[in-house]
Amino acid sequence: MPLPKAELHLHIEGTLEPELAFELAVRNGVALPYEDTEALRAAYRFDGLQSFLDLYYALTAVLRTEQDFADLANAYLARAAAQGVRHAEIFFDPQAHLARGVPMGTVVEGLWRALGRSEENHGVSTRLIMCFLRDESAGSALRTLDEAKPYLHRITGVGLDSAEAGHPPVKFRAVYEAAAALGLRRVAHAGEEGPPAYITEALDVLGVERVDHGLRCMEDPELVARLVRERIPLTLCPLSNVRLRAVDALAGHPLPAMLDAGLLCTVNSDDPAYFGGYAGDNFDAVRRELGLSEERLRELARNSFLASFLEDDEDRRARCLAEVEAYEF
Ligand code: HPA
Ligand code: ZN
């Protein structure tokens, strides 16, 4: 039985496996510029964030109907559950779909067909986090938040993703203020490819409660001290960091140093279809390559539930935490 864990950094569009991509392409009459799943998989070689994002957005072309989004989410939830995920806070990128003429309602209600029954079908509780694309304008983010207003009962929080360099958090001050006023939780990608100053800005200007990646905080000891002091969770994605060249090799990943520094780290899969593994695979990889002890792995699992947005279901959080403590490796 795998270690129980929460997954807090997962882009649902990044769970599109080549087999499902081709199935949906046929279903929707969309032509993919790849001969077959093998040829598509062979394209999964990235030299950084942008080369990955180009393929990631191109493949969203196959997602058109509510059923497509439901099938995508159900496939993820089944795989995640098999790897010990008990709770998943799931990102989606509405602008990637709105731009193709797929309405907000199709995306959210489609995902909800799977998420709304996930606890009974997969044993996985879920939350939905709507991300803004930081390489789009601030005005586009505000319009996207506006379009989401009829669906806010399905959405727990907002996030910020896509190409980081050159798109500082401050660009999204207004939309984060509006999101906070609507009662939405706030997270943002920062310090993946961008500098440590983006992490500070995400905290101070956007009011984020959790930092996605945050890897580059290690370049700034004062920032590390602050993140430790304020107990700001970081959602690390080790296999993603290797595939997108944020680190040279997993064996050199700063996760052990980050845990030693007292940071509240979690381990997540980011875009598992593209980066070589789901949540449990990431845990297995850091155990193997970084030699993490069983107590360190338990700490990571404990952190994942502590850092989750389960304030509206503290019973579930407590049950999951008890499972983590009782787990026998
Ligand atoms: N980083 C930034 N944006 C993203 C990612 C990522 O890893 N995956 C999907 N959008
Ligand atoms: Zn991400």
Side-chain angles (χ1 to χ4, degrees):
M1 188 185 86
L3 178 64
K5 56 186 75 69
E7 171 137 83
L8 307 178
H9 185 154
L10 181 280
H11 303 265
I12 198 66
E13 295 88 350
T15 69
L16 181 61
E17 294 284 347
E19 290 71 20
L20 183 58
F22 273 91
E23 190 184 319
L24 296 180
V26 170
R27 187 196 285 177
N28 293 322
V30 174
L32 284 177
Y34 300 93
E35 185 82 7
D36 52 26
T37 55
E38 222 168 290
L40 176 52
R41 258 204 186 87
Y44 288 7
R45 284 206 193 86
F46 312 115
D47 59 13
L49 180 55
Q50 190 60 57
S51 62
F52 154 68
L53 289 171
D54 292 343
L55 182 59
Y56 168 95
Y57 292 126
L59 283 194
T60 60
V62 304
L63 297 163
R64 304 222 60 96
T65 67
E66 282 192 25
Q67 195 57 47
D68 300 339
F69 286 93
D71 290 349
L72 178 69
N74 269 319
Y76 161 69
L77 290 162
R79 284 175 182 261
Q83 296 201 357
V85 171
R86 295 280 194 282
H87 176 74
E89 303 196 347
I90 297 175
F91 295 139
F92 70 110
D93 284 330
Q95 286 155 294
H97 310 302
L98 293 169
R100 302 181 293 112
V102 178
M104 181 71 80
T106 299
V107 180
V108 176
E109 295 303 336
L111 292 173
W112 198 256
R113 283 192 197 183
L115 271 52
R117 310 191 58 182
S118 174
E119 262 195 77
E120 46 180 309
N121 288 347
H122 304 286
V124 181
S125 52
T126 63
R127 300 289 183 273
L128 209 43
I129 299 179
M130 178 174 80
C131 284
F132 304 114
L133 302 184
R134 66 201 307 154
D135 44 358
E136 297 291 331
S137 69
S140 171
L142 278 163
R143 285 192 296 280
T144 304
L145 181 62
D146 216 43
E147 293 215 33
K149 281 186 180 155
Y151 307 100
L152 290 184
H153 56 298
R154 307 259 192 256
I155 297 172
T156 297
V158 295
L160 190 61
D161 65 3
S162 202
E164 186 181 5
H167 300 286
V170 67
K171 180 175 161 188
F172 298 94
R173 182 200 298 267
V175 75
Y176 270 67
E177 279 174 6
L182 290 166
L184 292 163
R185 313 293 296 261
R186 289 166 287 171
V187 300
H189 284 51
E192 179 187 20
E193 286 197 341
Y198 282 16
I199 299 174
T200 304
E201 212 175 273
L203 294 168
D204 291 340
V205 179
L206 304 185
V208 303
E209 302 170 73
R210 209 158 70 194
V211 175
D212 295 312
H213 292 299
L215 194 67
R216 289 188 59 192
C217 73
M218 295 304 275
E219 295 167 28
D220 180 346
E222 277 182 31
L223 175 58
V224 170
R226 175 186 180 183
L227 294 169
V228 171
R229 197 170 57 240
E230 297 181 13
R231 301 279 292 157
I232 306 287
L234 305 179
T235 62
L236 299 171
C237 307
L239 290 176
S240 163
N241 294 154
V242 175
R243 291 296 182 99
L244 298 186
R245 311 275 183 89
V247 299
D248 289 334
L250 196 52
H253 197 281
L255 175 61
M258 297 175 88
L259 289 168
D260 287 344
L263 288 163
L264 206 160
C265 298
T266 65
V267 162
N268 308 270
S269 68
D270 208 2
D271 300 282
Y274 294 88
F275 299 152
Y278 287 75
D281 301 316
N282 274 268
F283 271 74
D284 291 346
V286 296
R287 179 180 201 178
R288 192 175 60 243
E289 299 290 325
L290 298 171
L292 290 192
S293 67
E294 291 174 355
E295 281 320 299
R296 278 301 195 207
L297 295 167
R298 194 187 307 278
E299 176 184 348
L300 289 168
R302 184 187 302 127
N303 286 350
S304 71
F305 292 108
L306 293 175
S308 68
F309 292 149
L310 272 168
E311 280 78 3
D312 56 357
D313 194 353
E314 290 293 355
D315 284 352
R316 180 157 185 85
R317 190 189 333 252
R319 278 199 307 279
C320 290
L321 282 168
E323 261 194 273
V324 170
E325 300 313 328
Y327 183 77
E328 288 180 30
F329 284 90

